[in-house]
Amino acid sequence: MELKQVAQLAAMTIPFWCIVGAQWAWRKLRLRTTLKKASAVLTDVQIDEDKGILTGKIGGRSVSAALTSRGDGSSSTAWTEVRVERGGPSVDVSLWVQGLLDTIDVKRGLAVDVVVGDPAFDGRFVIEGAPEAAVREVFADADLRAALLAVRGIEATQPGSVVMVARPGWVWGTDLALMIQAAWLLTARVCELAKDADLPSPTPYRGAPEVADPVAAADLAALERARAMRKKKAETRSIVIIGLVLVFAAFWCYAAFGPR
């Protein structure tokens, strides 16, 4: 290869690699800055910049925050997840951003949407949980509602023994600290109210827990029915999709290899 060709090739490739390098350095800087700002709301902090994980404690509860991904390979998507240790029973509450399909599910009884009385909050989220009175009491805290509204696209669930607040994509700047504070406030509320009401731990998909209050028991039973119906809907959708794929494959094979 002649020197002129080498120079032309370098002129084309060097800017590309400079851009790639700058993007990588900027992303690392944003990650480091985000984790450092979030660590200010925690004690006993440990940071793993390579994995994008921050751990520590807030209000005596263990916290783990991660800039991570869900899915495998090319289908994986970036997510930000914050987990706070529950450490005991809680009011069974979850929430997610309300879309058109969620509105339809609520009308069909596939989701239980508790109205807490704050138009901005009720309009943003589907608030699912039971007992209904306890759920309303959880979100009677204006600071909690404000914290959950502060980060767009947020959802809250209770997998295992933790409360998890998550949202699609990686958050930057102070948003991770806001998510940690929201997750901690939610955890403190659901555990405090469960203790006051002497509620058992949530047991999704395994039947409503035994509670003394018949109204609360009815709320829990309705919640379990909605979740079971939603799970069945998802399974039915998967079966239909697989069936359509098989039918398409059969027609394609017939068209490609059948008699002419």
Side-chain angles (χ1 to χ4, degrees):
M1 185 179 293
E2 295 181 0
L3 184 60
K4 183 178 180 180
Q5 292 175 314
V6 173
Q8 290 175 337
L9 181 62
M12 290 186 293
T13 58
I14 289 176
F16 169 78
W17 289 111
C18 286
I19 292 172
V20 170
Q23 289 177 334
W24 178 85
W26 173 238
R27 184 174 177 176
K28 291 287 287 185
L29 177 61
R30 292 182 78 189
L31 175 63
R32 183 181 302 113
T33 303
T34 297
L35 294 175
K36 185 175 181 180
K37 287 181 177 179
S39 69
V41 302
L42 300 174
T43 59
D44 300 334
V45 175
Q46 293 187 10
I47 298 176
D48 187 334
E49 288 185 14
D50 293 333
K51 295 181 179 180
I53 296 175
L54 169 69
T55 59
K57 290 189 176 182
I58 182 170
R61 299 181 185 275
S62 297
V63 178
S64 172
L67 304 180
T68 184
S69 62
R70 294 181 182 180
D72 298 315
S74 59
S75 64
S76 66
T77 55
W79 275 79
T80 303
E81 298 177 346
V82 176
R83 290 176 167 84
V84 181
E85 181 184 32
R86 264 200 342 248
S90 74
V91 177
D92 194 343
V93 169
S94 58
L95 64 84
W96 59 91
V97 175
Q98 183 167 357
L100 176 60
L101 294 179
D102 297 308
T103 303
I104 295 172
D105 281 349
V106 170
K107 291 185 180 299
R108 295 178 59 196
L110 299 179
V112 177
D113 188 15
V114 178
V115 176
V116 300
D118 180 339
F121 194 78
D122 289 326
R124 174 77 65 84
F125 297 112
V126 173
I127 303 118
E128 186 174 76
E132 187 172 321
V135 174
R136 287 201 183 95
E137 187 64 24
V138 167
F139 295 106
D141 188 323
D143 290 337
L144 171 59
R145 297 197 307 272
L148 290 167
L149 286 168
V151 184
R152 289 198 166 273
I154 208 168
E155 65 178 35
T157 54
Q158 296 190 51
S161 61
V162 301
V163 171
M164 182 171 72
V165 169
R167 57 146 290 173
W170 288 3
V171 300
W172 303 112
T174 60
D175 279 354
L176 184 58
L178 292 174
M179 285 183 65
I180 291 173
Q181 290 172 322
W184 174 70
L185 284 170
L186 179 58
T187 305
R189 289 291 290 174
V190 297
C191 292
E192 176 187 359
L193 290 170
K195 183 179 179 181
D196 291 344
D198 195 24
L199 293 176
S201 296
T203 54
Y205 309 114
R206 296 184 182 178
E210 293 293 332
V211 293
D213 185 349
V215 175
D219 290 345
L220 288 164
L223 176 61
E224 296 304 327
R225 283 195 300 271
R227 287 175 170 170
M229 290 170 65
R230 205 158 62 239
K231 182 180 180 183
K232 185 177 180 179
K233 175 188 172 184
E235 292 171 347
T236 301
R237 185 190 299 122
S238 298
I239 292 171
V240 169
I241 291 172
I242 292 171
L244 290 174
V245 170
L246 292 174
V247 169
F248 175 80
F251 275 108
W252 183 87
C253 290
Y254 179 80
F257 305 110
R260 301 181 184 275

